[in-house]
Amino acid sequence: QVQLVESGGGLVQAGGSLRLSCAASGRTFSNYDMGWFRQVPGKDHEFVAIITRSGGITNYADSVKGRFTTSRDNAKKTVYLQMNSLKPEDTAVYYCAAGLYPQRKGITTTQGYDYWGQGTQVTVSS
């Protein structure tokens, strides 16, 4: 089991920045690739970013590329999502997720991940 807890969400004006954190406990954090997703009411989860277990490879959705950066600190069992130049359309609940082999079912799909956090709300005002 892996328990994930997100933090760092809040209300920010357009153009501002936030940094989300996702703290893990339980099984070896460094064994898992870590993904970020977001969801708005009435819609499916949208893939945002992924970082591999070593931190060596990252991948981003086109909608956030160049604005968001994900990183991880395996010693602290924490993954981060730095969000810059935020737009109102970034408003959503943001989730982190852990997957042993997310590529088997698709890194952009929720089925690729084994464990999920509870989510943190990000609201960007115009």
Side-chain angles (χ1 to χ4, degrees):
Q1 283 277 42
V2 175
Q3 292 80 39
L4 303 172
V5 178
E6 300 97 335
S7 60
L11 174 64
V12 64
Q13 287 189 333
S17 298
L18 281 175
R19 188 173 85 152
L20 305 183
S21 299
C22 172
S25 60
R27 291 191 173 181
T28 307
F29 175 71
S30 58
N31 286 347
Y32 292 85
D33 294 341
M34 296 298 297
W36 289 95
F37 287 76
R38 63 188 183 187
Q39 188 180 32
V40 298
K43 291 192 175 182
D44 291 337
H45 285 77
E46 177 191 10
F47 169 78
V48 174
I50 184 173
I51 184 166
T52 54
R53 58 205 65 195
S54 68
I57 297 174
T58 57
N59 200 340
Y60 299 92
D62 287 344
S63 58
V64 306
K65 201 170 291 183
R67 298 188 298 122
F68 290 12
T69 302
T70 187
S71 60
R72 67 190 293 162
D73 185 334
N74 285 344
K76 294 183 178 179
K77 295 186 178 181
T78 302
V79 62
Y80 305 97
L81 184 68
Q82 178 67 44
M83 306 185 295
N84 298 329
S85 303
L86 282 161
K87 304 175 181 180
E89 51 263 45
D90 294 319
T91 295
V93 177
Y94 283 71
Y95 299 87
C96 64
L100 275 177
Y101 304 107
Q103 66 276 15
R104 288 182 177 175
K105 295 185 178 179
I107 65 170
T108 64
T109 69
T110 57
Q111 293 89 343
Y113 299 83
D114 307 298
Y115 302 102
W116 291 80
Q118 84 289 349
T120 185
Q121 176 71 47
V122 171
T123 303
V124 184
S125 63
S126 56

